[in-house]
Amino acid sequence: EITDINDNAPSFKEVDLEERMSEATAPGSRFPLPDAHDPDSGRNSLQSYELSGDEHFSLAVQAGPGGDQRPELVLAKALDREEAAFHELVLRAIDGGDPARTGTARIRVNVVDANDNAPVFSQAEYTVRVPEDVAVGSVLVTVAATDTDEGLYGSVKYSLKKSTGKALKKVQLDSETGAITLLQSLDYEEGDSYELEVQGRDGGDLFDTAKVVITVTDINDNAPVISVRSTLSEISEDAPSGTVVALLHVQDRDSGANGEVRCSLDGDVPFLMEKSFNDYYRVVTARELDREQVSEYNVTVRAADGGSPSLQSSAVLALRVLDVNDNAPVFAEERYSARVAENNAAGALVLTVRATDADWGQNARVRYRLSEGRVRGAALSSYVSVQAETGALYALRSLDYEQVRELRLWVRAEDGGAPALSSNVSVLLQIVDENDNAPQVLYPPAAPPGSGSGSGSGWGAAWSGVELAPRCAADEAAAPGEPAGSLTRWLVLAVAAVSCLFLAFLLLLLALRLRRWRRRQLLPPAGAALRGVPVSHFVGIDGVRAFLQSYSHDVSLTADSRKSQLRFSASASCCDTLPARPLPDEPAPLLGDE
């Protein structure tokens, strides 16, 4: 009998074993393992199994029908492929020898994935801020969801489930990458934010959702809009300050500083811009208007926002200023004068006065009329008249210089306003003399009827020493067509010449008297001292006296050529003369007592 010794170790047919186990396998599940073989017998044969390597598994040994041992792998703890995709175990077979021998087998448990994990987004909410002028086609944001499963169960597809506003029309979601792309241009004024709900789904119909908020930031892309709600097209020039001309609504669709609007008026205009409430403004008059200076206004209202660069807009208000009668007619000249020849035709045009009124329409219509007055007891209107529309002044009668030298009158210009305004101007009409009157000899009077020419000696004796001017002297004095003023000048010059000559004779007479007085002082008082004096000395004094007597003058001048007079008189004298020659039987004194 051959006694067995423990010279063989237990052995497994396959030392490397690989098992596939779903991670969804329930704990407690059993999986048979290959058994070991030990050729020894008795106590030296296979006695037991041991398992090591992982807490997820345990070993169970079942007794076979023949008393053999069958090892089983028991799942003690649920598997999770996402935690461990495989597990490595060591199965030992031990015999009963002393020392005991062992045999080992390596077991690799591959955990088969089960769709036990849903996709998970990296953020529960995605928030992005984009300017409203972002280009179409730009990627606004990319969402990402991960699934720890593998294969089909780990592949995530993205989709949009719901959105607010017009987001579905504005953006597009890439189902593979999760990129959200802009399809249409954004406008902050149409929508300042969009909300999306994005879903990530794996191949096993597990999913996750995330919220995407797209916030649109404003840029200064809108100019202010001016809306004229009410306006006046006409305003009276006497409207008080503060009169409302227009009501405007100004709005900028931008936000923040880009939407802050400043309103102003262009140019130096008599208007102000005032804010009523909110976005409403009113244009009012800053002072009284004057239509005569500016009859129409084109008021430019300008609105500028606070953006950088600033955007502007403008509106024009056309305003016509209505006239009121606040201006009196004004004559073109301060005073008018004209020279009118006498003997004019009745109805002749004398002059034309002209007045203008700065007002407009009926208020500027000027009519003329004469102020009441009288000339030589007759009404002024009987001499001249003025045409009411044109201001033409006409002579109604033939004027006579010898009756009226000048006419002074007032012409009134009156406008058509209510009440009417007026102004006056003085008009001087000077009548120019014409040679329409023949000279008249005032003295001596004409000879009475029946008197003959033989009586001329009697007249000569009565008017001794008087020089008579012939009738033709007046016709040489004033030539035909010569003005009356020239004739008067010549008469004055003639009188001045005669006066100078007369003064010269007076001086000569005074010199002679002084000479005689001096000689008298030098001669002896006796009468015998005169015996040697020639008789011609005495005769000379008488001649002077006769000359002075014969050339004494009496002059009377008037501005009226018809009434001017030049009279020579023997009885009138402008100075002291020597006494008349004494009778022959009387002694003649050399010097008078004067």
Side-chain angles (χ1 to χ4, degrees):
E1 182 178 359
I2 301 172
T3 304
D4 184 46
I5 63 172
N6 191 21
D7 56 352
N8 293 285
S11 62
F12 291 94
K13 186 176 181 180
E14 295 179 4
V15 296
D16 291 318
L17 301 175
E18 185 172 346
E19 295 287 341
R20 291 176 61 83
M21 190 178 298
S22 173
E23 65 175 334
T25 303
S29 300
R30 294 172 179 263
F31 301 90
L33 296 175
D35 52 355
H37 177 70
D38 190 340
D40 293 331
S41 62
R43 189 173 181 82
N44 294 329
S45 64
L46 179 66
Q47 296 297 317
S48 62
Y49 291 92
E50 291 181 358
L51 183 67
S52 63
D54 200 308
E55 61 179 357
H56 287 81
F57 297 93
S58 63
L59 182 65
V61 180
Q62 297 292 336
D68 56 336
Q69 296 181 358
R70 297 177 180 179
E72 292 180 351
L73 185 65
V74 179
L75 181 63
K77 184 178 180 180
L79 298 176
D80 189 351
R81 193 204 67 82
E82 290 70 37
E83 292 182 0
F86 62 90
H87 298 269
E88 290 185 348
L89 306 174
V90 176
L91 179 62
R92 290 183 179 90
I94 307 170
D95 62 14
D98 186 20
R101 290 179 179 271
T102 60
T104 60
R106 292 187 300 271
I107 303 172
R108 179 184 176 93
V109 179
N110 292 318
V111 181
V112 178
D113 184 40
N115 192 25
D116 58 345
N117 292 284
V120 178
F121 282 97
S122 60
Q123 297 176 224
E125 180 176 324
Y126 293 85
T127 301
V128 61
R129 297 174 63 88
V130 294
E132 61 177 326
D133 61 346
V134 65
V136 175
S138 301
V139 177
L140 304 181
V141 63
T142 300
V143 297
T146 58
D147 194 323
T148 56
D149 295 328
E150 65 178 358
L152 183 62
Y153 299 138
S155 177
V156 181
K157 301 293 185 181
Y158 301 95
S159 62
L160 292 174
K161 288 305 177 181
K162 64 178 180 179
S163 63
T164 59
K166 301 178 181 179
L168 291 178
K169 297 180 180 180
K170 294 289 185 180
V171 296
Q172 182 181 23
L173 176 62
D174 190 325
S175 61
E176 297 292 336
T177 63
I180 298 178
T181 306
L182 183 64
L183 287 179
Q184 296 180 1
S185 59
L186 299 175
D187 191 348
Y188 174 86
E189 290 68 39
E190 292 182 359
D192 58 355
S193 67
Y194 299 92
E195 291 186 3
L196 307 171
E197 186 177 284
V198 181
Q199 185 181 85
R201 183 181 293 272
D202 62 18
D205 289 337
L206 296 181
F207 62 89
D208 190 15
T209 58
K211 183 179 180 181
V212 178
V213 178
I214 301 174
T215 302
V216 182
T217 59
D218 182 48
I219 64 170
N220 192 26
D221 59 343
N222 291 282
V225 178
I226 302 175
S227 301
V228 180
R229 297 303 173 87
S230 65
T231 182
L232 297 179
S233 60
E234 298 176 342
I235 185 173
S236 178
E237 65 176 322
D238 61 349
S241 300
T243 301
V244 178
V245 175
L247 183 62
L248 310 175
H249 180 256
V250 183
Q251 186 179 19
D252 194 315
R253 298 179 63 192
D254 295 324
S255 62
N258 297 332
E260 295 178 357
V261 180
R262 299 182 304 275
C263 295
S264 61
L265 301 179
D266 287 355
D268 183 16
V269 292
F271 301 97
L272 292 177
M273 192 82 167
E274 297 179 350
K275 188 170 185 178
S276 299
F277 59 94
N278 294 337
D279 297 328
Y280 285 87
Y281 297 82
R282 59 184 180 183
V283 180
V284 300
T285 57
R287 58 180 182 270
E288 291 187 354
L289 306 178
D290 190 350
R291 192 209 64 85
E292 288 70 41
Q293 293 183 357
V294 181
S295 60
E296 290 184 353
Y297 289 95
N298 289 322
V299 182
T300 301
V301 180
R302 192 170 302 279
D305 61 23
S308 180
S310 176
L311 298 181
Q312 298 182 356
S313 62
S314 61
V316 178
L317 304 177
L319 188 64
R320 186 164 63 93
V321 182
L322 299 180
D323 183 55
V324 296
N325 192 26
D326 56 350
N327 291 278
V330 177
F331 284 94
E333 300 180 20
E334 293 184 359
R335 59 185 60 86
Y336 289 85
S337 63
R339 295 171 63 86
V340 183
E342 65 173 337
N343 303 321
N344 59 285
L349 176 65
V350 176
L351 60 82
T352 300
V353 297
R354 178 172 176 79
T356 57
D357 196 310
D359 293 323
W360 182 80
Q362 184 66 23
N363 295 332
R365 184 180 179 183
V366 179
R367 297 180 63 87
Y368 305 90
R369 62 186 180 91
L370 289 177
S371 297
E372 295 297 331
R374 303 190 70 81
V375 178
R376 298 175 61 88
L380 178 62
S381 58
S382 64
Y383 282 84
V384 292
S385 68
V386 63
Q387 214 284 330
E389 299 294 336
T390 63
L393 200 67
Y394 296 95
L396 299 180
R397 62 169 67 178
S398 178
L399 302 177
D400 190 352
Y401 173 84
E402 287 73 31
Q403 293 183 1
V404 179
R405 301 297 175 86
E406 63 182 26
L407 291 176
R408 293 184 180 271
L409 52 97
W410 290 88
V411 176
R412 171 173 292 182
E414 190 175 86
D415 61 24
L421 300 179
S422 63
S423 60
N424 300 320
V425 69
S426 64
V427 179
L428 173 62
L429 301 181
Q430 295 178 333
I431 314 302
V432 179
D433 182 43
E434 290 188 346
N435 190 23
D436 58 345
N437 294 286
Q440 296 181 4
V441 177
L442 301 179
Y443 198 88
S451 61
S453 59
S455 62
S457 60
W459 284 101
W463 298 99
S464 176
V466 176
E467 295 184 1
L468 299 179
R471 290 182 178 272
C472 62
D475 298 332
E476 290 168 1
E482 186 175 4
S486 177
L487 177 61
T488 303
R489 265 197 314 273
W490 285 110
L491 291 176
V492 172
L493 291 176
V495 172
V498 173
S499 299
C500 291
L501 182 62
F502 181 67
L503 180 61
F505 276 106
L506 287 180
L507 294 176
L508 177 61
L509 177 61
L510 180 60
L512 291 176
R513 294 184 65 180
L514 290 176
R515 181 180 179 186
R516 298 298 184 271
W517 177 79
R518 186 176 181 183
R519 292 181 62 182
R520 182 179 178 185
Q521 297 295 327
L522 296 176
L523 292 178
L530 300 175
R531 295 177 182 177
V533 179
V535 179
S536 61
H537 290 180
F538 299 93
V539 177
I541 294 175
D542 293 338
V544 171
R545 180 188 303 113
F547 177 81
L548 294 177
Q549 289 178 352
S550 63
Y551 283 89
S552 297
H553 304 287
D554 186 5
V555 180
S556 176
L557 298 177
T558 66
D560 188 356
S561 61
R562 187 183 66 177
K563 298 181 180 180
S564 299
Q565 302 176 14
L566 177 63
R567 186 175 63 186
F568 299 89
S569 175
S571 62
S573 178
C574 295
C575 63
D576 295 336
T577 60
L578 295 176
R581 177 177 298 179
L583 296 176
D585 57 344
E586 294 181 358
L590 288 177
L591 298 174
D593 296 332
E594 299 86 357

